[in-house]
Amino acid sequence: MAAPPPPRALAAEPRRAPLGAVGVSLPRPRGRVRSAQPREEILRGYRQLISTNYNSRSLLCHPCSCAHTALADTRIAYEPEVDKHTGVLAYDLVQGSLVQWNSFTDKSIPDPPTAVLLHGILGSRKNWGSFAKRLAQEFPMWQFLLVDLRCHGDSASIKKRGPHTVASTARDVLKLIVQLRLNPRVLVGHSFGGKVALSMVEQAAKPLARPVRVWVLDATPGKVRAGGDGEDHPAELIEFLRRMPAQVSSKQEVVDALVKGQFSVDVARWVATNLRRNTPIGPRSSSNFSWTFDLNGISEMYNSYEDTNLWGVVENVPRGVHINFLKAERSLHRWALEDMQRIHTAEELAADEGGGVEMHVLEDAGHWVHADNPDGLFRILSSTFRIETTIRGMQD
């Protein structure tokens, strides 16, 4: 069965031009999709496009206090329901206000630049929601693909063959990219997602454009040194959750159990966000909550995260690939001196081979960098999108 086309705006309202831009508001082009299916059938295959409107406001970028003007009308396109029957991961596509769907309508218009954002273990695509919208406001020509990795979020209901590893997770994302006919310019992965991004580079040929910039947020390419000095250890957390009932009466019940089990309150509350309310059966039954992920599969994924070694990609960077590592100042992971030295050595080698490796440090942040210091992370990542936008403008 042929892969379905990506979601598109079915009846978008006229868009406002960016603040400060010269000219008037332009309606979004609406073309026809080439398909053998009747138009009504195509329309039924997609969820309604949701438009999220933001009040224009000035965002102050600490510590430089430079003003960023937020753009209005960021859009979120949701995945087609039919994808769930073809093994595609659940995803959201957050689009800047200047993005135009054109892959199936007008090939004279260049495809919009795309960034893929990948979450970590026990996370979901929602972890990146607010941050992606902020990026889309600042870079309105870009679109951002937010993915639920296998065994997580809405993708947990999509049965995947084992083994559940970093490599198999990377293949899932590559397959999704191919089916959506996207050519990502940027890959951003947090923790486990960082190793997935590196594995995508290791495995990919055509699905990834060149140049491609990879951001590995608070993860090393090799040995994982998680937990220590009283910090929560992910493997212990996963095993604790596996021993809990599949259904609980409330989120607070989970928080209390985790705190009693010596896990931090912040982690307990974060884990509880992965509970979904069940629909009551019958008039007298009470609703309860169940997990939105497959804990058995996630346990296997975390073991793979600890075992997977991707130093080969970093120390032999393919031409046209630029890998950025970001270490959180208060990282949950223990960055060994040997890791830092090895990355710095790789920087010198990559520069001689037409690739790139860089090391960054995010101050005032723990392991959950996009929650602990979103302004600092935004400031660091923004350089990538400005560079890529400039390159794109020169090519066009």
Side-chain angles (χ1 to χ4, degrees), residues 22 33 54 72 79 134 173 184 209 233 241 251 298-299 322 372:
V22 178
V33 177
Y54 294 87
E79 84 280 5
R134 183 175 177 181
V173 183
H233 195 292
L241 295 176
K251 294 185 177 182
I298 287 175
S299 178
H322 194 109
D372 291 344

Side-chain angles (χ1 to χ4, degrees), residues 354-372:
V357 176
E358 283 188 64
M359 186 73 200
H360 310 259
V361 176
L362 180 60
E363 298 178 351
D364 192 26
H367 181 59
W368 286 272
V369 291
H370 41 339
D372 291 344

Side-chain angles (χ1 to χ4, degrees), residues 55-274:
N55 294 323
S56 300
R57 61 189 183 281
S58 176
L59 301 176
L60 292 181
C61 178
H62 181 78
C64 63
S65 297
C66 56
H68 296 291
T69 304
L71 298 178
D73 204 10
T74 302
R75 293 161 300 177
I76 305 177
Y78 289 92
E79 84 280 5
E81 291 284 0
V82 69
D83 281 1
K84 294 187 176 181
H85 302 290
T86 58
V88 178
L89 300 171
Y91 68 89
D92 292 340
L93 193 62
V94 179
Q95 299 178 317
S97 60
L98 299 183
V99 171
Q100 299 173 347
W101 275 114
N102 54 72
S103 297
F104 297 89
T105 58
D106 186 353
K107 282 300 181 182
S108 66
I109 304 174
D111 289 335
T114 302
V116 179
L117 306 183
L118 306 173
H119 62 79
I121 288 290
L122 294 177
S124 74
R125 68 187 192 272
K126 295 178 182 179
N127 297 158
W128 282 112
S130 298
F131 196 87
K133 292 171 187 174
R134 183 175 177 181
L135 284 170
Q137 291 168 351
E138 181 72 13
F139 304 100
M141 295 179 64
W142 282 75
Q143 59 186 12
F144 302 87
L145 183 66
L146 283 56
V147 181
D148 276 346
L149 301 177
R150 63 165 58 200
C151 303
H152 291 75
D154 291 332
S155 292
S157 61
I158 305 172
K159 298 303 178 184
K160 297 286 186 182
R161 290 183 179 179
H164 301 298
T165 63
V166 169
S168 63
T169 305
R171 283 194 293 273
D172 291 342
V173 183
L174 289 171
K175 289 177 182 177
L176 178 63
I177 289 170
V178 170
Q179 292 208 7
L180 296 182
R181 306 186 190 186
L182 300 176
N183 294 297
R185 291 287 182 181
V186 177
L187 307 177
V188 181
H190 174 240
S191 194
F192 176 88
K195 274 195 174 180
V196 171
L198 287 177
S199 183
M200 289 172 66
V201 172
E202 181 183 53
Q203 299 181 53
K206 292 182 180 180
L208 292 181
R210 295 289 189 274
V212 62
R213 295 180 179 270
V214 181
W215 282 87
V216 182
L217 306 183
D218 210 36
T220 62
K223 185 177 180 180
V224 176
R225 301 174 178 88
D229 298 333
E231 296 280 2
D232 300 322
H233 195 292
E236 295 175 359
L237 175 61
I238 293 168
E239 291 308 307
F240 187 93
L241 295 176
R242 290 177 71 186
R243 294 194 298 269
M244 291 192 68
Q247 295 187 353
V248 294
S249 60
S250 69
K251 294 185 177 182
Q252 189 61 43
E253 178 183 337
V254 171
V255 173
D256 293 342
L258 287 170
V259 171
K260 188 176 180 180
Q262 303 302 308
F263 294 96
S264 66
V265 175
D266 287 343
V267 167
R269 289 173 177 167
W270 170 69
V271 168
T273 63
N274 290 291

